[in-house]
Amino acid sequence: MKYTKEDLAFIRNSKAEQKTTDASLKGKICVISGATSGVGLASAKRLAQAGAEIVLVARNMEKAEKVKNLISDAYGIVPKIYTADFSEFETVRHAAQAISRDFKKIDILINSAGLHSTTRRMTPDGNEWVFQVNHLSSFLFTRLLLPLVKKSTQGRIIQVNSEGHRFGGLNINDLKWEKRPYVGLLSYGASKTAQLMTVIKLAKELKDTKVTINAMHPGAVKTGIGSNNGWLYRSWMKWVIAPTLKDPAISGEAVYYLAAEPELDKTSGRYFNLTIDEKPMPHVFDQEKTERIWTLSHSLTGLKFPV
């Protein structure tokens, strides 16, 4: 593949001075999935520091309780916890239903649950594991909670995406990787490409509302992603990659900026490298494939189409 200067801007952007804000989030209700580690945890802490009411959505209740106590002790804000395993749609639906029952609005929705796998696995719902966790479940969760976000005076949705979308890998006719050898990086790239496509599509649908949706790359930071893989991969990450990675606090700061900065109240359908507005790879803008992914994302998650 031939890359243009614009395609390679992410290298420069990753080293650029990041934008900041000091806007208060006091009184804002913020729902964060994947909130017990990495980017999600860093985001929860930073938004709590800014005064937001935090709603944690996590797979592991024990870990979520520890995060709850950490945030409560540090910032005097007691988060609410809801459990959901993004590899199972039923739990995602139950969490969304419970949140919809307990809250009258959502001001900020952040989806940061994600994983990378070196081997092909299937979910109980019959989807490839990475594709469901990284894309389908965040799409489902967003759709189910969208009515609450629309009740905010200025709702914001942030999908934690990745420069990994540059790997490509999205084959509409083989989302389950049944027709080709499974490659972890390509599977990851496929999930992030699909997510970006639906972010851009949903932004167009929401253009006449008070809701924005954007995607962001959280930077090269230390997270638990990939910890589900074998010892060889984990060793490679620990001894080769981890020493080059940054503290996830920079991700939390970037998420806070995207969630709070007043000048972004009408910015939607964009992709940010941390806080730098960046153009994704050209394959993200394939209109025919986007329409098919949009339709499939509804049907595979059991959502009515159109919503």
Side-chain angles (χ1 to χ4, degrees):
M1 179 183 294
K2 185 178 181 180
Y3 292 98
T4 66
K5 184 177 181 180
E6 188 176 40
D7 295 335
L8 297 174
F10 74 95
I11 299 174
R12 178 180 68 253
N13 291 340
S14 65
K15 301 176 183 178
E17 182 178 353
Q18 297 300 317
K19 300 175 182 178
T20 60
T21 187
D22 58 1
S24 172
L25 290 176
K26 187 175 182 179
K28 299 290 186 180
I29 298 171
C30 176
V31 177
I32 308 175
S33 68
T36 58
S37 65
V39 177
L41 174 57
S43 300
K45 292 192 290 186
R46 187 61 185 90
L47 271 62
Q49 183 182 353
E53 181 176 345
I54 304 299
V55 179
L56 305 172
V57 180
R59 179 172 55 90
N60 187 306
M61 179 58 78
E62 183 179 351
K63 289 182 178 180
E65 286 288 349
K66 291 180 180 179
V67 173
K68 174 182 176 179
N69 293 334
L70 184 156
I71 291 176
S72 178
D73 292 343
Y75 308 109
I77 292 171
V78 183
K80 289 194 174 181
I81 301 174
Y82 297 84
T83 57
D85 183 339
F86 272 34
S87 68
E88 298 181 21
F89 290 146
E90 183 179 5
T91 69
V92 175
R93 289 182 177 278
H94 284 168
Q97 289 168 0
I99 292 170
S100 298
R101 182 183 62 242
D102 296 342
F103 291 89
K104 294 181 179 180
K105 67 163 186 171
I106 293 172
D107 298 293
I108 303 160
L109 171 60
I110 300 166
N111 280 307
S112 65
L115 62 85
H116 169 266
S117 179
T118 57
T119 58
R120 177 180 179 270
R121 287 178 53 182
M122 302 299 290
T123 69
D125 299 298
N127 301 299
E128 191 273 318
W129 191 31
V130 173
F131 194 74
Q132 176 161 334
V133 172
N134 291 3
H135 168 56
L136 291 176
S137 284
S138 70
F139 181 83
L140 174 62
F141 200 50
T142 298
R143 271 305 201 184
L144 294 175
L145 293 180
L146 188 55
L148 282 186
V149 184
K150 287 182 176 180
K151 291 182 180 179
S152 171
T153 54
Q154 204 277 296
R156 299 191 187 189
I157 302 169
I158 301 169
Q159 306 286 45
V160 178
N161 197 262
S162 173
E163 293 291 0
H165 81 272
R166 298 178 182 279
F167 298 140
L170 183 61
N171 184 332
I172 297 288
N173 299 312
D174 191 23
L175 295 179
K176 297 182 180 181
W177 294 82
E178 297 171 321
K179 304 174 183 178
R180 51 189 168 146
Y182 186 86
V183 180
L185 290 178
L186 294 182
S187 169
Y188 186 77
S191 69
K192 294 303 182 179
T193 295
Q195 185 182 60
L196 263 178
M197 287 175 165
T198 55
V199 163
I200 295 170
K201 176 75 174 175
L202 185 53
K204 293 177 181 177
E205 180 184 300
L206 296 171
K207 65 184 179 70
D208 294 324
T209 72
K210 295 180 181 180
V211 178
T212 63
I213 180 169
N214 292 292
M216 62 91 73
H217 169 60
V221 296
K222 296 178 181 179
T223 70
I225 195 166
S227 59
N228 49 276
N229 293 307
W231 69 269
L232 184 60
Y233 179 90
R234 296 199 307 272
S235 296
W236 174 69
M237 285 294 298
K238 180 177 180 179
W239 300 109
V240 180
I241 301 301
T244 70
L245 300 178
K246 300 177 181 178
D247 190 305
I250 68 168
S251 306
E253 197 67 40
V255 169
Y256 162 57
Y257 172 82
L258 297 177
E261 173 55 40
E263 291 186 2
L264 296 178
D265 63 353
K266 294 182 180 175
T267 300
S268 194
R270 307 300 299 174
Y271 171 73
F272 290 85
N273 185 339
L274 289 172
T275 62
I276 308 300
D277 195 336
E278 181 176 287
K279 186 176 181 180
M281 288 294 285
H283 61 253
V284 170
F285 301 100
D286 184 320
Q287 292 302 308
E288 180 181 356
K289 191 172 285 189
T290 294
E291 291 299 327
R292 293 186 66 187
I293 279 294
W294 181 252
T295 301
L296 283 168
S297 296
H298 283 83
S299 62
L300 290 173
T301 56
L303 289 166
K304 293 181 179 179
F305 182 83
V307 175

